[in-house]
Amino acid sequence: MKAVVFDVDGTLAETERDGHRVAFNEALAAHGVDLHWDVARYRELLTITGGRPRLAADLRRHGVDDADEVAARVHRTKTELFVDVVRRGVIAPRPGVPELVDDLRAHGVRIAIATTGRRAWVEPLVRHLVGDVEVTVCGDDVAALKPDPETYLLALSRLGLDAARVVAVEDSGPGLAAARAAGLATVVVTNDDTVHHDVRGAALVREAFDRPAPLTAADLADALTGARA
Ligand code: XBP
Ligand code: MG
């Protein structure tokens, strides 16, 4: 195993319910759009990857004219608000994530990021959560978001590695589909938003990084070997 590519939202940290969702609601209110996403509704909408497409889809569903233009304006404000949240340093990594990243680094495994989120907040958040990483591919860098494989294919290209030597770590069905389509053995660590997702095809499924035992570099290497067997 030469490298591990981590997803961000829901994987490195629980960012959706109290982070992105709150920023979306504040941005919608700031733009006078009569739409508010409660936890249950937002969880449903998470099957649409990318904040801006997610907004546009729900605005269209609510019959808002020029939904794409409104979504673009609201999403720009949401991104600014979420960058502020990130800069306050209040988002904590999921328990066990720093320990896993430290173990990978101790074994000389390279670390990369593949997310559909905007680079404006991804880079400061990743630095806050796990320090500097070698490669970061964001939604800004690709034409097609997860479950399309483009994000992971670009990460492999920038790493200069073949998929056979790399493991992906994800939290969701769309993320698993993207990594698998790029040929990556994928470890899925579900969370409250994704515990019901279809994660068939994962090389390993866990409900936490630190339970029932800490997830280690050896576990990821074993998952890679198993997936290749
Ligand atoms: C999850 C997403 C992102 C976030 C919102 O990304 O789909 O769109 O929900 O961030 P990941 P943006 O691939 O890291 O799980 O508003 O910046 O899209
Ligand atoms: Mg995710």
Side-chain angles (χ1 to χ4, degrees):
M1 178 174 72
K2 293 288 187 186
V4 173
V5 186
F6 285 92
D7 165 55
V8 177
D9 292 301
T11 301
L12 291 185
E14 298 272 22
T15 54
E16 296 289 1
R17 188 188 67 186
D18 300 330
H20 289 296
R21 182 182 67 89
V22 172
F24 278 115
N25 285 332
E26 286 176 5
L28 286 162
H31 285 267
V33 177
D34 182 19
L35 181 61
H36 179 88
W37 286 340
D38 64 18
V39 172
R41 178 62 186 144
Y42 188 67
R43 186 167 285 169
E44 289 168 4
L45 287 166
L46 276 175
T47 52
I48 304 170
T49 57
R52 180 171 162 179
R54 188 175 304 138
L55 266 176
D58 213 36
L59 289 167
R60 265 193 296 277
R61 183 177 171 275
H62 283 81
V64 171
D65 293 334
D66 59 347
D68 287 330
E69 290 71 29
V70 174
R73 284 198 300 275
V74 172
H75 193 244
R76 273 193 293 275
T77 301
K78 176 266 174 185
T79 299
E80 290 163 12
L81 292 169
F82 193 66
V83 167
D84 291 345
V85 171
V86 169
R87 289 215 173 102
R88 290 204 297 271
V90 297
I91 296 175
R94 287 183 71 177
V97 163
E99 294 81 356
L100 172 58
V101 172
D102 288 347
D103 191 31
L104 289 166
R105 286 182 173 137
H107 287 85
V109 179
R110 299 159 67 186
I111 307 291
I113 296 293
T115 174
T116 64
R118 297 289 96 185
R119 185 173 293 277
W121 62 260
V122 169
E123 287 195 335
L125 179 58
V126 169
R127 194 174 305 116
H128 166 68
L129 294 172
V130 294
D132 288 329
V133 299
E134 186 176 342
V135 166
T136 301
V137 177
C138 302
D140 318 53
D141 305 322
V142 295
L145 299 178
K146 301 175 187 176
D148 186 282
E150 189 182 350
T151 310
Y152 279 102
L153 291 171
L154 185 53
L156 286 172
S157 165
R158 288 185 181 172
L159 284 165
L161 291 173
D162 182 90
R165 309 301 297 274
V166 180
V167 172
V169 180
E170 271 280 355
D171 70 308
S172 71
L176 169 64
R180 297 262 298 146
L184 289 162
T186 305
V187 171
V188 175
V189 185
T190 58
N191 53 53
D192 292 347
D193 293 323
T194 65
V195 66
H196 61 287
H197 282 200
D198 177 0
V199 291
R200 282 172 297 178
L204 173 68
V205 180
R206 283 279 203 89
E207 60 180 26
F209 285 91
D210 61 340
R211 299 190 318 273
L215 195 61
T216 65
D219 294 325
L220 269 55
D222 289 347
L224 179 62
T225 306
R228 296 282 163 220

